[in-house]
């Protein structure tokens, strides 16, 4: 959940660290800190708040920031409240070892008891301070080198981590290690860049190594990378990958917030996800991960989709698609629940895992459980080289590009796009869909980028609606069929960034409880497109109107019946029911954004959240 950054080389470390932390703030932003190392010493500064507060403190306190070795951290709190003491980096009792950490040490309390009995004291409430002192204890008790002390200590740790640690007496060396939490290493001649993901060092190098679980690296100035297995100290040959990130993708450009930029990028990201996969004129869908394993999908008795958050909502849409188009029973599971309830998994069962980052801790744990039990695991994620991408048996990337805003938008529609392709491809292999319907849906899918572009043109009407409702305390979102998960996603977006309580429900379930909440102060967003259960939706709207609820209706262009009933109407282009979520979600994303913006909230960095959930 946190962001870590480090530099070792010939440049001044401070600007690399501070700019890198700003690019990592989407991972956590309740406190931040840096340590700069020079001969026989170091400077350390950390504070509660965002990175700009850290900059101010460094300037005000006149902290020495000259040095070519440094580490930095931006935090999402797990152990201990956000304050200066709990911020990273953390220092050992002797002031010799300085460390940053992303993850959770589950057995930290037991280790803390041992250390306390051996005279160690603690200033913070964090598990990280326990770990850095444990490494110091192992180092001094056994007269180990720092690298060996780190390795031995980590073999005793239960939990997840990516760490970077420096001995102030040896500022020419940084030790890094990974288990569970992501860690990337950028390499240039005579310099190393360390980060939770490559975005902070893309300006300096395109050469990157993604450490695998159970690996550590010894970085020394003027020396080659020394990569090793933590468990047995076995030396490894590093695999260097060329990064393909475009710098413009990680800049806001003309937009005030990344979230708005990413909403407006969706026509392109959907097109990029389709490119090379959907050949409309030939009626062909190309997905290597399906084609090379088609017998597994043809013979599948059922499919289980596992995900968290927004990806879970995409999974629910995937359930509708796969059952309708491929005629395979589908179950959708929260990854956080799936792994702990002793699920029934047979050999060759098909499990699909979905994650934007490819590092979601619960989803990754569910993946490992499924593979351990012999299931075939197919992954859908956005980040090349991520832990999930490396661990699955086959998969498909979403090609949405970097998503910086914490509230996911373009990754959601890219995931749905991949799920449509999967459902059509598998349905074709299973002869579950006839040729005319298959070709029609392929043509409709090809038109989606243009229709999404048209849907984005309603921003001005959404601004007007947002001004009316930005001060309410509650929202209700309703949808039916394949658009019920869209209602869930719309409610999630609103609560994530505006802090307004919002609930999503199947429209028919409204009368089984939620209708008790409806009065003249309750805005109800209802997805009422022409396809599907349109007449039933009209009936639900009548029930809301009878109780004086305020209706914001998402309708198809030219709709008459619902438009006459609703207080506010947002029109979207008409499309087949199976593909409608790709269009109906657009106004819900814009509504959440505009309400949060009017309320003066930080849209990209909502409180208490982080982009990549790498802890359980």
């Amino acid at each position: 959940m946190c962001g870590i950054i480090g530099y070792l080389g010939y440049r001044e470390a401070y600007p690399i660290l501070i700019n890198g932390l700003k690019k990592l703030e989407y991972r956590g932003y309740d406190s931040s800190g840096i340590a700069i190392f020079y001969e026989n010493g170091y400077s350390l500064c950390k504070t509660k708040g965002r990175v700009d507060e850290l900059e101010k403190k460094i300037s005000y306190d006149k902290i020495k920031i000259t040095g070519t070795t440094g580490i930095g951290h931006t935090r999402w709190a797990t152990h201990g409240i956000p304050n200066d003491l709990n911020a990273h980096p953390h220092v050992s009792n002797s002031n010799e070892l300085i460390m940053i950490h992303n993850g959770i040490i589950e057995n930290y309390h037991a280790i803390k008891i041992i250390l306390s009995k051996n005279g160690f004291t603690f200033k913070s409430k964090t598990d990280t301070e326990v770990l850095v002192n444990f490494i110091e204890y192992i180092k001094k008790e056994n007269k180990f080198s720092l690298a060996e002390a780190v390795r031995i200590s980590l073999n005793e740790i239960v939990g997840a981590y990516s760490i970077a640690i420096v001995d102030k007496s040896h500022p020419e060396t940084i030790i890094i290690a990974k288990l569970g939490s992501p860690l990337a290493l950028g390499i240039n001649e005579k310099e190393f860049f360390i980060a939770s993901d490559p975005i902070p060092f893309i300006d300096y190098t395109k050469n990157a190594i993604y450490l695998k679980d159970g690996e550590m690296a010894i970085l020394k100035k003027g020396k080659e990378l020394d990569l090793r297995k933590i468990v047995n100290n076995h030396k490894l040959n590093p695999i260097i990958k060329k990064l393909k990130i475009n710098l413009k993708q990680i800049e806001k450009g003309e937009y005030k917030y990344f979230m708005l930029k990413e909403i407006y990028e969706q026509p392109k990201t959907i097109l990029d996800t389709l490119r090379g996969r959907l050949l409309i004129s030939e009626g062909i869908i190309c997905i290597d991960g399906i084609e090379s394993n088609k017998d597994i999908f043809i013979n599948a008795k059922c499919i289980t989709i596992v995900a968290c958050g927004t990806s879970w909502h995409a999974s629910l849409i995937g359930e509708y698609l796969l059952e309708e188009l491929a005629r395979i029973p589908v179950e959708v599971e929260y990854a956080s629940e799936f792994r702990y309830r002793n699920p029934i998994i047979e050999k060759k069962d098909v499990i699909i895992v979905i994650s934007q980052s490819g590092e979601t801790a619960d989803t990754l744990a569910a993946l490992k459980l499924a593979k351990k039990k012999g299931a075939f695991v197919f992954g859908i994620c956005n980040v090349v080289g991520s832990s999930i991408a490396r661990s699955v048996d086959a998969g498909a990337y979403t090609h949405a590009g970097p998503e910086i805003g914490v509230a996911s938008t373009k990754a959601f529609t890219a995931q749905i796009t991949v799920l449509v392709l999967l459902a059509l491809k598998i349905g074709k292999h299973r002869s579950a869909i006839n040729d005319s319907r298959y070709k029609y849906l392929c043509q409709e899918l090809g038109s989606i980028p243009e229709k999404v572009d048209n849907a984005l043109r309603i921003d001005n009407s959404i601004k007007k609606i947002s001004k009316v409702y930005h001060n309410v305390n509650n929202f209700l979102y309703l949808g039916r069929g394949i658009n019920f998960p869209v209602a869930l996603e719309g409610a999630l977006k609103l609560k994530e960034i505006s802090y307004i309580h919002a609930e999503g429900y199947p429209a028919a379930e409204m009368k089984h409880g939620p209708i008790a909440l409806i009065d003249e102060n309750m805005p109800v967003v209802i997805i009422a497109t022409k396809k599907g259960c349109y007449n039933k939706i009209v009936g639900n709207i009548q029930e809301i109107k009878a109780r004086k609820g305020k209706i914001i209706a998402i309708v198809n262009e030219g709709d008459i019946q619902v438009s006459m009933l609703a207080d506010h109407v947002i029109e979207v282009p008409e499309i087949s029911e199976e593909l409608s979520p790709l269009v109906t979600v657009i106004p819900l994303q814009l509504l959440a954004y505009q309400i949060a913006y009017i309320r003066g909230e930080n849209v990209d960095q909502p409180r208490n959240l982080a982009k990549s959930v790498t802890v359980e």
Side-chain angles (χ1 to χ4, degrees):
M1 301 282 279
C2 306
I4 69 173
I5 185 82
Y7 177 74
L8 180 72
Y10 60 87
R11 308 175 201 252
E12 285 295 320
Y14 176 73
I16 295 170
L17 299 180
I18 210 73
N19 290 327
L21 287 177
K22 289 176 181 177
K23 292 175 181 176
L24 288 172
E25 273 195 303
Y26 71 92
R27 302 183 67 88
Y29 32 82
D30 57 40
S31 60
S32 57
I34 62 166
I36 305 287
F37 300 88
Y38 42 85
E39 190 173 354
N40 297 320
Y42 66 94
S43 297
L44 185 145
C45 185
K46 53 184 183 174
T47 187
K48 178 183 176 181
R50 290 179 164 84
V51 177
D52 58 356
E53 295 298 320
L54 177 65
E55 280 189 289
K56 291 174 186 176
K57 186 172 182 180
I58 289 169
S59 175
Y60 182 82
D61 292 346
K62 296 182 171 56
I63 303 292
K64 182 178 179 180
I65 55 173
T66 56
T68 57
T69 301
I71 55 176
H73 189 274
T74 181
R75 182 173 183 251
W76 186 88
T78 55
H79 295 73
I81 64 173
N83 62 21
D84 291 7
L85 283 176
N86 291 327
H88 297 219
H90 283 284
V91 182
S92 65
N93 274 194
S94 69
N95 289 320
E96 292 177 3
L97 304 183
I98 301 89
M99 190 177 81
I100 53 176
H101 165 226
N102 173 23
I104 289 182
I105 308 303
E106 295 180 10
N107 60 337
Y108 87 102
H109 186 67
I111 294 170
K112 189 174 185 178
I113 291 171
I114 294 169
L115 293 174
S116 296
K117 289 179 179 178
N118 282 275
F120 284 82
T121 59
F122 302 91
K123 298 175 182 177
S124 77
K125 301 293 185 182
T126 67
D127 53 345
T128 305
E129 189 184 13
V130 173
L131 180 55
V132 71
N133 278 297
F134 186 50
I135 293 169
E136 177 165 276
Y137 173 69
I138 296 294
K139 180 177 183 289
K140 291 193 170 182
E141 284 292 304
N142 299 281
K143 297 182 181 178
F144 284 155
S145 67
L146 177 58
E148 185 65 3
V150 168
R151 191 182 74 79
I152 297 298
S153 301
L154 294 181
N155 277 310
E156 300 298 321
I157 292 301
V158 177
Y161 55 79
S162 57
I163 66 167
I165 185 168
V166 181
D167 184 333
K168 74 172 185 180
S169 301
H170 299 282
E172 74 286 348
T173 303
I174 301 179
I175 311 294
I176 62 174
K178 176 197 181 306
L179 180 67
S181 300
L183 190 58
L185 180 63
I187 299 176
N188 257 350
E189 189 177 354
K190 297 182 180 179
E191 60 183 347
F192 297 104
F193 302 85
I194 304 154
S196 297
D197 66 51
I199 289 174
F201 59 71
I202 194 70
D203 288 328
Y204 301 97
T205 181
K206 297 285 178 68
N207 300 318
I209 293 171
Y210 295 92
L211 267 69
K212 296 178 182 177
D213 281 351
E215 291 183 352
M216 61 181 290
I218 303 159
L219 314 178
K220 291 188 176 183
K221 284 185 182 178
K223 303 288 185 180
E224 289 189 357
L225 168 69
D226 186 357
L227 186 67
R228 294 181 178 269
K229 278 277 189 185
I230 294 171
V231 67
N232 57 13
N233 206 31
H234 177 69
K235 193 173 176 65
L236 302 168
N237 294 318
I239 299 172
I240 299 175
K241 297 187 176 181
K242 283 284 183 183
L243 298 173
K244 297 179 181 179
I245 299 173
N246 184 333
L247 285 176
K248 288 185 178 179
Q249 292 178 308
I250 57 174
E251 296 171 350
K252 282 186 279 196
E254 65 189 52
Y255 296 94
K256 185 171 180 62
Y257 286 102
F258 277 109
M259 182 181 177
L260 188 61
K261 174 177 181 276
E262 288 156 5
I263 289 171
Y264 275 88
E265 285 177 339
Q266 287 175 109
K268 180 181 182 299
T269 55
I270 292 170
L271 183 62
D272 288 343
T273 301
L274 293 173
R275 185 174 286 115
R277 291 169 169 167
L278 177 64
L279 309 176
I280 298 173
S281 58
E282 293 94 335
I284 295 173
I285 292 173
C286 303
I287 301 177
D288 290 341
I290 299 294
E291 196 61 42
S292 57
N293 299 283
K294 66 180 181 182
D295 288 343
I296 292 174
F297 287 97
I298 288 171
N299 297 314
K301 297 285 192 298
C302 68
I303 292 175
T304 302
I305 310 179
V306 182
C308 301
T310 285
S311 297
W312 187 75
H313 296 155
S315 301
L316 291 175
I317 293 169
E319 178 182 15
Y320 283 90
L321 291 166
L322 285 161
E323 290 194 344
E324 174 66 23
L325 302 177
R327 305 308 295 160
I328 303 176
V330 176
E331 293 290 333
V332 176
E333 299 265 7
Y334 281 113
S336 56
E337 294 295 320
F338 178 77
R339 61 176 297 208
Y340 288 114
R341 66 169 187 80
N342 193 22
I344 299 171
I345 305 172
E346 305 290 343
K347 285 189 176 181
K348 299 303 178 182
D349 278 359
V350 177
I351 309 288
I352 297 176
V353 295
I354 305 180
S355 165
Q356 186 280 136
S357 67
E359 302 290 350
T360 309
D362 287 314
T363 308
L364 191 55
L367 183 163
K368 290 175 180 177
L369 173 64
K371 290 200 72 173
K372 185 178 179 181
K373 294 197 174 188
F376 173 83
V377 183
F378 187 93
I380 299 174
C381 71
N382 192 41
V383 181
V384 176
S386 60
S387 296
I388 287 176
R390 294 196 306 266
S391 302
V392 293
D393 297 300
Y397 287 115
T398 50
H399 300 307
E403 190 177 62
I404 308 299
V406 166
S408 182
T409 52
K410 64 178 182 176
F412 177 68
T413 50
Q415 288 169 352
I416 295 170
T417 304
V418 170
L419 287 164
V420 173
L421 290 168
L422 256 62
L424 286 169
K425 181 74 173 175
I426 296 168
K428 185 72 169 170
H429 279 315
R430 288 170 59 90
S431 301
I433 181 172
N434 63 47
D435 286 344
S436 61
R437 189 182 184 196
Y438 173 82
K439 289 177 182 177
Y440 171 73
L441 288 174
C442 285
Q443 290 172 343
E444 287 271 271
L445 186 55
S447 73
I448 282 289
E450 182 182 355
K451 290 184 185 290
V452 170
D453 187 56
N454 289 337
L456 286 164
R457 295 175 188 175
I458 42 80
D459 197 19
N460 285 333
S461 62
I462 288 177
K463 286 178 183 177
K464 293 176 183 177
I465 296 169
S466 301
K467 288 176 182 176
V468 176
Y469 296 107
H470 72 278
N471 277 326
V472 302
N473 295 318
N474 300 283
F475 259 83
L476 187 62
Y477 286 71
L478 302 176
R480 294 192 77 138
I482 200 167
N483 278 299
F484 159 54
V486 178
L488 291 175
E489 176 63 11
L492 177 64
K493 287 286 98 54
L494 186 70
K495 71 180 79 170
E496 280 181 318
I497 62 173
S498 74
Y499 318 135
I500 295 173
H501 174 252
E503 295 293 339
Y505 266 86
E509 288 296 305
M510 177 185 63
K511 61 179 68 69
H512 295 284
I515 199 167
L517 299 172
I518 294 175
D519 59 19
E520 65 275 11
N521 298 312
M522 172 67 81
V524 181
V525 178
I526 189 160
I527 303 168
T529 50
K530 291 177 184 175
K531 304 291 174 66
C533 305
Y534 181 77
N535 290 331
K536 299 291 186 184
I537 286 281
V538 171
N540 297 137
I541 292 172
Q542 295 278 18
E543 292 164 355
I544 297 166
K545 291 294 288 184
R547 289 153 182 86
K548 300 180 180 180
K550 303 299 182 184
I551 295 170
I552 304 167
I554 313 299
V555 302
N556 288 133
E557 293 168 347
D559 178 276
I560 297 173
Q561 195 171 358
V562 170
S563 298
M564 291 174 65
L565 297 170
D567 297 277
H568 310 275
V569 173
I570 301 170
E571 291 190 337
V572 295
E574 189 169 347
I575 192 75
S576 63
E577 184 184 8
E578 295 88 344
L579 306 183
S580 60
L582 289 164
V583 175
T584 55
V585 76
I586 301 300
L588 305 191
Q589 293 172 346
L590 288 169
L591 182 67
Y593 171 84
Q594 292 297 348
I595 287 176
Y597 179 72
I598 292 169
R599 288 165 66 94
E601 308 297 353
N602 187 329
V603 175
D604 286 340
Q605 297 174 351
R607 69 186 183 211
N608 302 334
L609 297 179
K611 183 66 180 175
S612 181
V613 184
T614 57
V615 297
E616 294 180 37

